[in-house]
Amino acid sequence: MSTKKSVKYGTKEFERDIGELTIARMLVAHRLGEEMNQKEFAKLLGITSASLCDMEKGRKIPSPTRAAKIARKLGMFELSWIEMAIQDQLRKDKIYCKVSLEEVS
């Protein structure tokens, strides 16, 4: 029987270690985790390499619709990516509040 406690590593811990969670950071982390270059990753997402580069550098923030499409292509939760896209836009506009969405039936 193990007496070790499980280590919880979620959004708060991620942000503590590397900074705020953004679309840019998530895209780069996912691409590097898959060991893909920008051209390959852009093709997987169905976008141009230039568009991916702009998103990874934080020069462009995807719309909620595009964020949802990216999440679907990556097999991830759409709601989280939509939240990040909205949060990134608010941060860019210097509106400091926390976005939290929930699905409705």
Side-chain angles (χ1 to χ4, degrees):
M1 180 172 169
S2 175
T3 58
K4 290 184 180 181
K5 291 183 180 179
S6 64
V7 178
K8 179 185 174 202
Y9 197 85
T11 302
K12 288 179 184 177
E13 292 77 17
F14 179 87
E15 289 182 341
R16 179 197 64 219
D17 292 347
I18 69 161
E20 292 176 305
L21 191 58
T22 65
I23 293 279
R25 287 188 174 128
M26 288 296 290
L27 286 170
V28 171
H30 196 87
R31 178 174 62 79
L32 294 177
E34 295 296 320
E35 299 180 349
M36 298 174 92
N37 62 39
Q38 281 186 331
K39 186 176 180 179
E40 294 166 330
F41 197 53
K43 185 176 180 179
L44 172 75
L45 297 178
I47 61 177
T48 66
S49 296
S51 188
L52 175 60
C53 182
D54 284 342
M55 283 192 276
E56 284 189 353
K57 297 290 183 188
R59 293 185 293 252
K60 282 188 181 176
I61 298 167
S63 69
T65 301
R66 182 175 257 188
K69 288 178 183 177
I70 289 170
R72 277 194 302 274
K73 298 266 182 163
L74 299 176
M76 302 181 86
F77 293 111
E78 292 177 32
L79 206 56
S80 298
W81 284 72
I82 295 167
E83 281 181 2
M84 277 190 290
I86 295 168
Q87 190 72 58
D88 287 354
Q89 186 61 54
L90 291 173
R91 193 177 301 114
K92 178 183 173 195
D93 292 342
K94 296 182 180 6
I95 299 172
Y96 302 105
C97 57
K98 178 76 174 157
V99 174
S100 178
L101 302 175
E102 63 181 62
E103 289 188 45
V104 292
S105 303

